[in-house]
Amino acid sequence: MGKESGIRLIANNKKAYHDYFIEDTYEAGIELAGTEVKSMRMGKCSIKESFIQIDRGEVFVYGMHISPYEKGNIFNKDPLRTRKLLLHQYEIRKIAGKIAEKGYTLVPLKVYFKGSLVKVEIGIAKGKKLYDKRQDIAKKDQKREAEREFKVKNL
């Protein structure tokens, strides 16, 4: 009868890991309308182009796309509307202090169901330079080559 347990991923922001060094992560709730939750249960959510800002002590996510619920009617909301994230006040102050430093920003990393609640994992991130991205790509290529050689040897 209690809340169902388990985490079910809805959306993942792989581009954030490519473009930023993620230094710290927080789990935040998100304020949604009923039809938006139903749409998320069907996996209709994208956070590729979204970003997070703190405005007057509250945290908001911009550009998060939740497709309108097909069976919804006049209660459907704008797919790109600004949504409020739910965090404790001390967490907001801590995050605000960190992103006040030069080069830091807030990015959404994942959207998932935790039980029956929709959660957003946000990360304090520092932008990567072009040479950092090249190093990551080179490491991935080396790892792929090593796995390919290992597979050939074990046949």
Side-chain angles (χ1 to χ4, degrees), residues 67-137:
S67 298
Y69 183 56
E70 284 121 32
K71 295 178 181 74
N73 46 22
I74 57 167
F75 300 110
N76 277 337
K77 302 284 187 198
D78 176 30
L80 288 171
R81 75 182 181 93
T82 303
R83 295 172 181 88
K84 185 177 175 182
L85 295 181
L86 308 171
L87 285 160
H88 290 285
Q89 201 62 46
Y90 69 90
E91 288 178 318
I92 295 172
R93 283 194 295 268
K94 190 175 177 183
I95 292 169
K98 192 69 174 172
I99 64 170
E101 295 177 31
K102 192 174 192 305
Y104 284 97
T105 188
L106 277 174
V107 290
L109 303 173
K110 293 179 195 164
V111 179
Y112 54 91
F113 278 105
K114 187 174 185 181
S116 62
L117 304 174
V118 179
K119 299 288 185 177
V120 180
E121 185 176 282
I122 62 175
I124 296 175
K126 192 172 181 85
K128 283 185 181 178
K129 302 280 189 257
L130 183 61
Y131 56 83
D132 292 327
K133 292 179 190 177
R134 284 189 190 137
Q135 287 173 348
D136 283 352
I137 292 169

Side-chain angles (χ1 to χ4, degrees), residues 4-155:
E4 52 188 70
S5 63
I7 291 176
R8 199 183 86 191
L9 191 66
I10 302 168
N12 198 359
N13 192 355
K14 292 179 184 174
K15 195 169 177 3
Y17 291 101
H18 179 71
D19 290 341
Y20 301 100
F21 292 114
I22 307 300
E23 299 207 354
D24 204 2
T25 60
Y26 292 89
E27 181 181 76
I30 185 167
E31 209 172 75
L32 296 172
T35 54
E36 290 176 323
V37 176
K38 289 177 181 180
S39 185
M40 282 191 152
R41 288 202 186 282
M42 296 177 3
K44 309 273 181 161
C45 177
S46 173
I47 55 172
K48 281 188 174 73
E49 300 296 321
S50 59
F51 61 96
I52 298 171
Q53 286 186 332
I54 298 176
D55 184 31
R56 286 185 251 134
E58 295 181 326
V59 185
F60 295 96
V61 63
Y62 297 86
M64 179 177 172
H65 189 277
I66 299 175
S67 298
Y69 183 56
E70 284 121 32
K71 295 178 181 74
N73 46 22
I74 57 167
F75 300 110
N76 277 337
K77 302 284 187 198
D78 176 30
L80 288 171
R81 75 182 181 93
T82 303
R83 295 172 181 88
K84 185 177 175 182
L85 295 181
L86 308 171
L87 285 160
H88 290 285
Q89 201 62 46
Y90 69 90
E91 288 178 318
I92 295 172
R93 283 194 295 268
K94 190 175 177 183
I95 292 169
K98 192 69 174 172
I99 64 170
E101 295 177 31
K102 192 174 192 305
Y104 284 97
T105 188
L106 277 174
V107 290
L109 303 173
K110 293 179 195 164
V111 179
Y112 54 91
F113 278 105
K114 187 174 185 181
S116 62
L117 304 174
V118 179
K119 299 288 185 177
V120 180
E121 185 176 282
I122 62 175
I124 296 175
K126 192 172 181 85
K128 283 185 181 178
K129 302 280 189 257
L130 183 61
Y131 56 83
D132 292 327
K133 292 179 190 177
R134 284 189 190 137
Q135 287 173 348
D136 283 352
I137 292 169
K139 283 180 189 172
K140 266 188 214 167
D141 288 344
Q142 287 175 345
K143 188 176 178 184
R144 199 176 299 121
E145 282 295 319
E147 286 175 1
R148 191 176 295 136
E149 288 175 20
F150 181 73
K151 193 183 267 187
V152 169
K153 286 180 183 175
N154 288 341
L155 284 178

